[in-house]
Amino acid sequence: MVENSRDAARARADLRFKKQEEAATVRQKAMAEYAAESDARKAKTDKLRALRLAKEAEDLANAPAVPAKKPARAKKK
């Protein structure tokens, strides 16, 4: 009977260990996916920022050299 309870305890311990190992594997996979998504998002953001800055620089270079005058106010009578 003692040997049977040892076997049962060992089986429960093995099962618990396997569940913990599976959970650790799932966590590692999830973190890897999260990191990959984060890196992709950062790369896309950097690309879009570079495009926006290039467009702003081009718009600034093509802007008229003299600022437009404000229309004169009408005089009160």
Side-chain angles (χ1 to χ4, degrees), residues 34-61:
Y34 175 79
E37 289 174 4
S38 178
D39 291 344
R41 187 180 309 111
K42 184 178 180 335
K44 186 175 180 180
T45 301
D46 290 344
K47 177 184 172 187
L48 291 173
R49 180 178 292 125
L51 290 172
R52 178 180 52 84
L53 291 174
K55 183 181 182 311
E56 287 176 356
E58 182 180 337
D59 290 346
L60 187 62

